[in-house]
């Protein structure tokens, strides 16, 4: 048999072998001293002293606080929902301290100061580093990932909680602003969520819950409009997408929020919160802009493709401060973004900032 | 970003889904491709082709796990590129793998011993099930991910000598296993 044939056949094997190898970590014996020290840290965490103090204090020095309640007993509850803004406000722009409450179940709550939350898990000088801590018998793994399109997504941290390292299914993840440590997103897998006891809540009820959450947690929520919605298969719920509108123009700043059939928020993400800055579009002539774009699209695509649809014009800001408009043109079922339009329009319509 | 969110973005035909895939898996993809084709330019091409293939497959596919789906597509593309490359074969890990496997798989190719790829894959799976998790992971990293001894050593926290020994023993075990089942004569 030729080795090539064998190696090609390897590509047909079940995915589970690939995932196992990808995620496999050799079991290591934990140094006894470190394990005792870590256990001592957890045992000393009582009261409400901010997490930042706990992790900056060497183990065994008698510091109290941090925040862990009802942690003994070996119960292995999973996060079910995270409530942001215990103090009443959570905002992407405010760099003050915020509280987050991780609701594990009806009887257990974990409170954390959000400020610089991410920095407790990762070394921000190294991309893609990973740090693991044990808290309440639960393994928290923090991994820093920097978005390629940083002007749009911003730099953020992904924190994975209770990760199954064999299958790498993150049970609960939090996204944090790398500058302020604020939580700007989270995602909970179905295993963390409540089952639907009777029938799923309706679309309107889901929407109300989404709006209620956003009003509490996004300071400029009034600038956002509903952009898209769809039913999801997470306990028969609904997902909503909102976009920020500036002077009547939809921007790339958007919020994704998902509600389960039981009425829980299973995912929330704030995107592009840094991207827009202060842009004055009061002098913008939308009619003229639309005509220019239509003309460009016809010129570029008319002879070669059937244009099936154009999306709404959307505004984006690049890292260098350039603003541009773009739309997505669907051509014969394919989607293409027209880069040439953008440069012209950014020069025509917007003053560089 | 979770794999499910990436898949959702693909279903919504958001091009930012490809950026998300690249952010999460780009480094691994480039490593896998480079280890097979042996140069960065070809590797980059393979990775881009894989992303396009994922874009065209999802929807309707809803792969789970997503990483294995992506890596399989990429590996197929890279192996095809390796096969069809007209230039002199560059020194790459994949060439080492072929040389490594050859003595253990050597047999007379007869009509009776020809075996479909899928059937062979099933036998490989059964063989993998006989291995310990550690040895299975080492074997997969070498012959599926095409990782070097040094990469496996670093990833798994064992010495290169240990990697070498484990692989040698596993290859010998595999040769016997396939021999007993009439795949090799």
């Amino acid at each position: 048999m030729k080795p090539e044939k064998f190696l090609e056949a390897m590509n047909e094997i079940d995915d589970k072998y690939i995932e196992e190898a990808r995620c496999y970590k050799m079991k290591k014996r934990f140094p006894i001293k470190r394990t005792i020290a870590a256990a001592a840290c957890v045992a000393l965490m009582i009261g409400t002293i901010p997490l930042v103090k706990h992790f900056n204090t060497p183990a065994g020095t008698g510091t109290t606080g941090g925040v862990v309640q009802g942690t003994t007993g070996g119960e292995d509850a999973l996060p079910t929902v995270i409530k942001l803004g215990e103090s009443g406000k959570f905002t992407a722009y405010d760099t003050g301290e915020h509280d987050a409450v991780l609701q594990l179940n009806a009887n257990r709550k974990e409170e954390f100061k959000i400020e610089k939350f991410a920095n407790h898990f990762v070394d921000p000088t190294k991309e893609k580093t990973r740090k693991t801590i044990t808290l309440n018998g639960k393994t928290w793994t923090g991994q820093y990932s920097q978005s390629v399109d940083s002007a749009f997504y911003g730099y953020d941290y992904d924190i994975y909680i209770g990760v199954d390292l064999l299958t790498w299914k993150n049970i609960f993840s939090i996204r944090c602003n790398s500058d302020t440590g604020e939580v700007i997103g989270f995602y909970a897998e179905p295993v963390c969520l409540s089952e639907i006891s009777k029938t799923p809540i309706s679309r309107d009820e889901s929407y109300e819950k989404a709006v209620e959450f956003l009003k509490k947690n996004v300071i400029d929520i009034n600038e956002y409009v509903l952009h898209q919605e769809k039913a999801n298969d997470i306990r028969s719920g609904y997902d909503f997408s909102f976009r920020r509108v500036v002077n009547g123009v939809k921007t790339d700043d958007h919020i994704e929020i998902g509600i389960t059939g039981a009425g829980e928020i299973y995912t929330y993400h704030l995107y592009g919160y840094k991207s827009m800055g202060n842009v004055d579009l009061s002098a913008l002539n939308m009619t003229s802009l639309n005509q220019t774009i239509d003309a460009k699209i016809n010129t570029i695509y008319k002879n070669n493709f059937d244009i099936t649809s154009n999306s709404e014009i959307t505004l984006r800001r690049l890292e260098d401060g350039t603003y541009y408009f773009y739309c997505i043109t669907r051509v014969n079922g394919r989607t293409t973004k027209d880069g040439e339009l953008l440069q012209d329009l950014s020069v025509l319509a917007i003053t560089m900032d | 970003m979770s794999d499910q969110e990436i898949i959702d973005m693909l279903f919504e035909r958001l091009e930012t889904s490809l950026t998300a895939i690249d952010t999460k898996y780009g480094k691994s993809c480039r490593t896998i491709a480079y280890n097979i084709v042996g140069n960065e330019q070809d590797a980059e091409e393979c990775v881009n082709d894989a992303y396009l293939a994922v874009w065209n497959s999802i929807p309707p596919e809803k792969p789970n796990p997503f990483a294995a789906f992506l890596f399989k597509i990429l590996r197929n593309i890279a192996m095809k590129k390796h096969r069809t490359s007209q230039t002199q074969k560059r020194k790459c890990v994949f060439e080492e793998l072929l040389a490594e496997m050859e003595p253990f798989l050597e047999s007379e190719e007869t009509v009776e011993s020809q075996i479909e790829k899928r059937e062979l894959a099933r036998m490989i799976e059964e063989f993998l099930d006989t291995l310990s998790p550690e040895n299975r992971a080492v074997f997969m990293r070498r012959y599926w991910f095409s990782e070097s001894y040094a990469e496996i050593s670093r990833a798994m926290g064992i010495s290169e000598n240990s990697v070498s020994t484990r692989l040698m023993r596993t290859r010998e075990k595999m040769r016997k296993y396939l021999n007993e089942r009439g795949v090799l004569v």
Side-chain angles (χ1 to χ4, degrees):
Chain A
M1 181 199 309
K2 290 188 188 295
E4 289 90 339
K5 185 172 182 179
F6 180 88
L7 293 174
E8 282 175 18
M10 288 280 284
N11 225 41
E12 303 294 323
I13 64 173
D14 193 278
D15 291 348
K16 67 180 181 185
Y17 298 103
I18 302 165
E19 282 297 288
E20 182 194 46
R22 190 171 74 87
C23 305
Y24 192 83
K25 297 281 184 214
M26 292 289 272
K27 292 185 176 65
K28 286 186 179 175
R29 295 176 61 189
F30 285 98
I32 294 177
K33 284 185 187 174
R34 198 186 300 169
T35 306
I36 291 175
C41 283
V42 171
L44 286 172
M45 284 171 70
I46 57 174
T48 57
I49 290 184
L51 192 64
V52 60
K53 284 193 183 175
H54 167 72
F55 279 99
N56 284 341
T57 305
T61 55
T63 306
T64 57
V67 188
V68 168
Q69 301 171 10
T71 64
T72 58
E75 186 181 345
D76 196 19
L78 296 170
T80 54
V81 64
I82 183 167
K83 296 178 182 176
L84 298 172
E86 184 77 358
S87 60
K89 281 288 183 189
F90 160 75
T91 167
Y93 305 100
D94 184 350
T95 57
E97 292 187 14
H98 308 281
D99 296 333
V101 175
L102 196 65
Q103 185 82 27
L104 296 187
N105 57 39
N107 300 314
R108 290 174 57 184
K109 287 197 299 186
E110 315 292 346
E111 288 188 17
F112 298 95
K113 287 286 186 183
I114 282 296
E115 185 184 359
K116 305 302 182 188
F117 182 71
N119 288 341
H120 298 301
F121 292 87
V122 300
D123 178 352
T125 64
K126 294 178 189 170
E127 191 177 329
K128 301 265 172 99
T129 55
R130 198 177 288 170
K131 213 193 246 187
T132 302
I133 62 166
T134 301
L135 182 65
N136 292 349
K138 205 93 199 102
T139 300
W140 300 57
T141 300
Q143 176 170 295
Y144 169 57
S145 63
Q146 182 171 308
S147 171
V148 173
D149 187 357
S150 59
F152 178 59
Y153 285 108
Y155 296 93
D156 56 34
Y157 296 119
D158 282 328
I159 311 290
Y160 300 99
I161 302 173
V163 173
D164 180 338
L165 291 182
L166 185 63
T167 60
W168 195 243
K169 288 189 187 299
N170 48 304
I171 295 170
F172 193 96
S173 68
I174 300 175
R175 214 169 114 251
C176 299
N177 177 335
S178 61
D179 291 336
T180 65
E182 300 159 271
V183 174
I184 53 171
F186 65 87
Y187 177 81
E189 292 210 333
V191 66
C192 304
L193 305 170
S194 303
E195 298 288 340
I196 308 168
S197 55
K198 294 178 183 175
T199 54
I201 62 174
S202 67
R203 177 268 174 201
D204 288 347
E205 286 169 317
S206 300
Y207 182 73
E208 273 178 33
K209 286 203 179 281
V211 170
E212 185 189 345
F213 175 87
L214 294 176
K215 277 183 177 171
K216 278 189 203 168
N217 292 299
V218 180
I219 195 169
D220 55 355
I221 190 59
N222 290 333
E223 295 182 16
Y224 288 81
V225 298
L226 182 64
H227 175 66
Q228 282 180 338
E229 62 177 89
K230 64 176 173 68
N232 67 48
D233 57 1
I234 309 293
R235 308 282 195 261
S236 304
Y238 289 88
D239 294 337
F240 301 98
S241 168
F242 298 83
R243 283 202 183 253
R244 189 158 155 247
V245 174
V246 176
N247 292 119
V249 180
K250 274 191 185 172
T251 71
D252 258 350
D253 290 355
H254 65 279
I255 296 171
E256 309 284 339
I257 183 165
I259 316 292
T260 71
E264 286 178 331
I265 298 169
Y266 78 93
T267 189
Y268 157 73
H269 285 291
L270 188 64
Y271 290 113
Y273 59 94
K274 290 186 192 176
S275 75
M276 293 314 302
N278 294 317
V279 53
D280 180 8
L281 298 175
S282 54
L284 181 67
N285 184 327
M286 281 303 295
T287 304
S288 170
L289 180 64
N290 275 309
Q291 285 172 350
T292 306
I293 288 179
D294 284 346
K296 283 279 184 178
I297 289 172
N298 286 330
T299 302
I300 292 168
Y301 297 116
K302 183 178 68 173
N303 294 329
N304 298 310
F305 300 99
D306 293 325
I307 299 169
T308 55
S309 66
N310 290 318
S311 72
E312 288 178 86
I313 296 171
T314 307
L315 179 66
R316 178 180 283 200
R317 181 175 185 260
L318 295 175
E319 211 170 340
D320 63 1
T322 309
Y323 288 95
Y324 68 84
F325 296 92
Y326 75 94
C327 71
I328 297 176
T329 302
R330 287 195 164 76
V331 180
N332 288 347
R334 283 185 58 220
T335 302
T336 175
K337 186 180 285 185
D338 190 347
E340 290 180 18
L341 271 175
L342 311 178
Q343 285 306 116
D344 287 340
L345 288 172
S346 67
V347 172
L348 287 172
I350 302 292
T351 303
M352 305 302 170
D353 192 3
Chain B
M1 186 176 289
S2 71
D3 287 349
Q4 185 58 49
E5 286 174 293
I6 291 175
I7 291 170
D8 288 343
M9 288 169 76
L10 284 162
F11 265 77
E12 289 178 35
R13 311 315 283 163
L14 296 174
E15 289 188 17
T16 44
S17 59
L18 300 181
T19 306
I21 293 172
D22 194 61
T23 300
K24 192 168 183 181
Y25 295 114
K27 189 176 176 186
S28 299
C29 284
R30 284 173 186 87
T31 303
I32 291 172
Y34 182 85
N35 283 344
I36 295 174
V37 299
N39 73 86
E40 284 184 9
Q41 193 175 340
D42 285 350
E44 193 65 36
E45 208 173 295
C46 290
V47 170
N48 287 337
D49 286 347
Y51 289 168
L52 180 62
V54 166
W55 175 266
N56 288 334
S57 310
I58 303 173
E61 295 278 350
K62 277 189 182 182
N64 185 17
F66 177 80
F69 178 80
L70 168 65
F71 293 156
K72 269 186 173 176
I73 290 175
L74 172 66
R75 192 171 179 271
N76 262 333
I77 290 170
M79 288 178 69
K80 189 176 172 185
K81 187 135 195 102
H82 179 270
R83 262 199 318 272
T84 58
S85 172
Q86 295 303 310
T87 59
Q88 185 180 357
K89 292 280 193 290
R90 294 176 179 80
K91 184 170 170 55
C92 60
V93 180
F94 197 68
E95 286 293 319
E96 287 176 20
L97 304 188
L98 295 175
E100 217 166 81
M101 293 298 267
E102 194 159 356
F104 292 86
L105 298 175
E106 197 176 0
S107 70
E108 270 185 53
E109 191 79 10
T110 65
V111 172
E112 289 78 18
S113 69
Q114 284 179 3
I115 184 171
E116 292 298 323
K117 208 189 295 182
R118 192 85 190 114
E119 196 182 336
L120 179 56
R122 290 291 77 80
M123 285 195 194
I124 294 172
E125 285 180 356
E126 286 167 12
F127 169 70
L128 290 174
D129 287 339
T130 68
L131 301 177
S132 69
E134 294 89 346
N135 287 336
R136 186 161 57 234
V138 171
F139 186 86
M140 286 294 294
R141 279 186 175 269
R142 181 66 175 163
Y143 299 113
W144 202 96
F145 287 93
S146 302
E147 288 184 355
S148 65
Y149 281 28
E151 284 168 331
I152 298 172
S153 164
R154 266 196 309 273
M156 298 195 61
I158 56 177
S159 68
E160 286 190 42
N161 272 343
S162 177
V163 172
S164 171
T165 306
R166 286 171 191 259
L167 284 173
M168 194 170 62
R169 288 178 184 161
T170 306
R171 283 195 300 269
E172 180 56 37
K173 194 174 171 185
M174 182 188 67
R175 189 183 67 77
K176 285 180 186 165
Y177 188 89
L178 295 178
N179 214 5
E180 283 165 8
R181 281 145 186 84
V183 176
L184 302 176
V185 292

